[in-house]
Amino acid sequence: MGTQLGMNGKMYYLASGTRATWGTANSGGIHEGSAPTGLTEMGNVRDVTLNLEEGEADVTTRANDGWRATEPTLKEGSIEFEMVYDPADAGFTKILGSWLQRTVIAFAILDAAKEISGTMGLWADFKVISFSKSEALEEGQTVSVTIKPAYSTVAPEWVKVTGGA
């Protein structure tokens, strides 16, 4: 696929049904398969940031010859993005409703369209943690949103499209 431009990234939510695993994990831990049916593109998003990191455990011993040793612990993730404030937009109302009612939404944050073989990204159930509205004097009204993985029977997955949607 080569170099990716941010404007070609795609964010989808599962409009109906319950999130299931994307497919079988390969030897590298990437779940491969076709994109699930029912994914709806979020067109009203911009400046999406996917934050992934792990906690740390100090496992230093005297055998490390003066070097601190660290092992990764729990994975963490969050997605931050902006939307134009548009109550008529289906994606906007889905996000707002999820925040108001504290409900789960399944999202796929991908580097390209779900139909393109080789597309990769995060697939998980999320809850809206932050929903902040901005009314800058010389700009359109926007909302800044943060979502984080939620309790789910299916763990978050790094996925790769290997077939059409």
Side-chain angles (χ1 to χ4, degrees), residues 45-61:
V45 295
R46 63 183 184 197
D47 298 334
V48 177
T49 301
L50 172 59
N51 302 298
L52 300 173
E53 60 185 69
E54 292 180 299
E56 298 178 6
D58 184 347
V59 294
T60 306
T61 67

Side-chain angles (χ1 to χ4, degrees), residues 7 11 29 31 36 47 60 67 79 84 93 100 103-104 106-107 109-110 121 124 131-133 139 149 159 161 164:
M7 67 182 194
M11 187 169 175
H31 290 256
D47 298 334
T60 306
W67 286 88
I79 292 86
V84 172
T93 58
L100 290 169
T103 55
V104 171
F107 279 104
I109 297 82
L110 305 175
F131 186 90
S132 302
K133 188 170 181 267
E139 301 292 333
V159 298
V161 175

Side-chain angles (χ1 to χ4, degrees), residues 80-138:
E80 300 167 357
F81 57 95
E82 289 186 355
M83 300 180 78
V84 172
Y85 183 84
D86 182 1
D89 177 72
F92 177 89
T93 58
K94 185 82 169 173
I95 296 286
L96 176 58
S98 176
W99 183 79
L100 290 169
Q101 299 173 346
R102 298 182 174 168
T103 55
V104 171
I105 308 176
F107 279 104
I109 297 82
L110 305 175
D111 59 12
K114 66 181 179 176
E115 300 84 11
I116 299 173
S117 187
T119 293
M120 295 176 65
L122 185 65
W123 170 235
D125 288 323
F126 291 89
K127 283 201 174 178
V128 179
I129 302 302
S130 174
F131 186 90
S132 302
K133 188 170 181 267
S134 175
E135 298 177 359
L137 188 58
E138 292 189 14

Side-chain angles (χ1 to χ4, degrees), residues 66-79:
W67 286 88
R68 184 172 305 280
T70 305
E71 283 293 323
T73 60
L74 297 176
K75 290 178 172 65
E76 295 182 45
S78 68
I79 292 86

